[in-house]
Amino acid sequence: MMGVLAAPQAWAAFPERPLRIVVPFTPGGGTDIVARQLAKGLSDELGQSVVVENRPGGSTIIGTENVAKSPPDGYTLLMSTFAHAVNPAIHKKLPYDTDEAFAPVALIGKSPNVLVVSPKSKFKSVQEILNYARANPGKLTFGSYGNGTSAHLAGELFKSLGKVDILHVPYKGAGPGINDLMGGQIDMIFSTSASVSGQIKNGQLRALAVTTKDRSPSYPGVPTVAESGEPGYFVDSWYGVFVPRGTPTAVIDQLNAAIKRVSGKPDFKAALELEGLVASVGTPAALGEYVKQEESRWSKIIKDAGITDNP
């Protein structure tokens, strides 16, 4: 009888020690920025320190696998992105089963990707890029934050709808890719908004278009890709929190409630808005359903484009 009573009491005390949020990207990128804002808020809400741990590489697989193999106790969280939904279609031999290894906790929010170029670039519009790419196949390059990231798939969709040949150059996170873009080593990136909003505002990068269906409130003067020459084009970036499958429902619900409280705080919302992100925290089930929709949509695009494990 004592054993039956002990488990609920143990979970009721959660959390009793520090938590960690694993970010499967290098420091300084959009996912890292969002995770650190969330960690700060959760630390206040939960009364425990929340540490962000960067584990980049392998198209987010290295960090994601680390969480999949962690104890299902609520103390290890994964800050997931678009890659979480598309990796199963790209990588045929993942070291975990995405649907079986993780339990959804909360969607943090969504944002557009932004097509950015160096301010020294000769391109001032999407149409100029399309015209040049059609006349010079294979001459232009676009960077991404790894194979299967939203920056990658946004570029592949652009190539497919625009019927252009542009070379993909993958990086191990946002920082290295943005540095090379500003340095002129690549021509463009379909970046997450959180990764480039500061550089756009201070003139280090030029925004040509946003990838969402409608214009973004964060970039009111920037057109969409769809209205700039590729009708039907849209890509959403998103950030969500997962834990290892088997984590008690009571712990998941407690984490979800804490994230909701953090998301409602003015300083958190303001910080995310500066990164072009709109907070939209829902239930664990809502995140699970959204990821299934993303998996379904992108698996066809990935197959049609012939995207595989090799960049």
Side-chain angles (χ1 to χ4, degrees), residues 7-56:
Q9 290 172 349
W11 293 120
F14 176 87
E16 297 180 302
R17 63 180 191 273
L19 293 80
R20 67 183 181 123
I21 300 176
V22 174
V23 173
F25 296 97
T26 53
T31 312
D32 184 64
I33 291 169
V34 173
R36 291 181 190 280
Q37 290 292 337
L38 179 63
K40 178 182 175 184
L42 283 180
S43 180
D44 294 338
E45 287 294 327
L46 298 175
Q48 291 285 352
S49 63
V50 181
V51 179
V52 172
E53 185 176 309
N54 297 90
R55 286 181 172 259

Side-chain angles (χ1 to χ4, degrees), residues 1-299:
M1 187 69 177
M2 289 296 292
V4 174
L5 292 173
Q9 290 172 349
W11 293 120
F14 176 87
E16 297 180 302
R17 63 180 191 273
L19 293 80
R20 67 183 181 123
I21 300 176
V22 174
V23 173
F25 296 97
T26 53
T31 312
D32 184 64
I33 291 169
V34 173
R36 291 181 190 280
Q37 290 292 337
L38 179 63
K40 178 182 175 184
L42 283 180
S43 180
D44 294 338
E45 287 294 327
L46 298 175
Q48 291 285 352
S49 63
V50 181
V51 179
V52 172
E53 185 176 309
N54 297 90
R55 286 181 172 259
S59 302
T60 75
I61 294 170
I62 291 174
T64 304
E65 181 183 10
N66 177 266
V67 176
K69 295 181 177 179
S70 295
D73 54 13
Y75 288 93
T76 300
L77 287 64
L78 172 68
M79 178 58 76
S80 65
T81 64
F82 178 93
H84 193 81
V86 302
N87 271 346
I90 296 174
H91 304 275
K92 304 306 180 185
K93 294 182 179 180
L94 287 173
Y96 50 82
D97 183 318
T98 302
D99 294 330
E100 296 297 325
F102 300 97
V105 176
L107 178 70
I108 302 300
K110 301 178 186 178
S111 72
N113 278 36
V114 188
L115 173 56
V116 289
V117 297
S118 163
K120 297 178 182 178
S121 171
K122 62 184 176 183
F123 301 115
K124 304 294 195 300
S125 69
V126 168
Q127 196 59 60
E128 288 182 7
I129 289 175
L130 289 172
N131 292 342
Y132 182 89
R134 287 165 182 158
N136 301 273
K139 293 291 182 67
L140 290 180
T141 54
F142 78 95
S144 80
Y145 311 149
N147 210 33
T149 58
S150 65
H152 176 201
L153 272 296
E156 293 294 346
L157 184 61
F158 184 85
K159 288 167 57 178
S160 176
L161 293 180
K163 296 180 171 55
V164 291
D165 178 14
I166 303 175
L167 178 65
H168 171 224
V169 182
Y171 291 86
K172 291 183 178 180
I178 292 168
N179 285 340
D180 271 9
L181 178 63
M182 292 191 294
Q185 281 76 37
I186 55 175
D187 294 303
M188 68 192 84
I189 289 180
F190 291 83
S191 176
T192 55
S193 177
S195 297
V196 294
S197 60
Q199 290 91 335
I200 291 171
K201 288 170 185 173
N202 65 25
Q204 290 179 291
L205 291 173
R206 180 192 303 143
L208 299 187
V210 294
T211 64
T212 39
K213 288 181 178 179
D214 301 311
R215 292 196 180 197
S216 168
S218 299
Y219 307 97
V222 179
T224 66
V225 173
E227 68 181 291
S228 302
E230 289 201 355
Y233 182 102
F234 80 93
V235 179
D236 290 319
S237 270
W238 55 269
Y239 301 89
V241 174
F242 285 80
V243 290
R245 181 75 66 180
T247 300
T249 301
V251 171
I252 292 175
D253 290 343
Q254 188 173 340
L255 289 169
N256 178 272
I259 291 171
K260 281 183 179 177
R261 292 194 298 271
V262 171
S263 73
K265 293 183 176 181
D267 58 342
F268 182 82
K269 294 200 305 190
L272 264 60
E273 286 170 4
L274 282 175
E275 309 300 336
L277 183 71
V278 177
S280 56
V281 177
T283 64
L287 172 57
E289 184 57 35
Y290 177 69
V291 171
K292 285 182 181 178
Q293 293 171 1
E294 286 282 274
E295 287 176 346
S296 177
R297 179 195 177 206
W298 286 102
S299 63

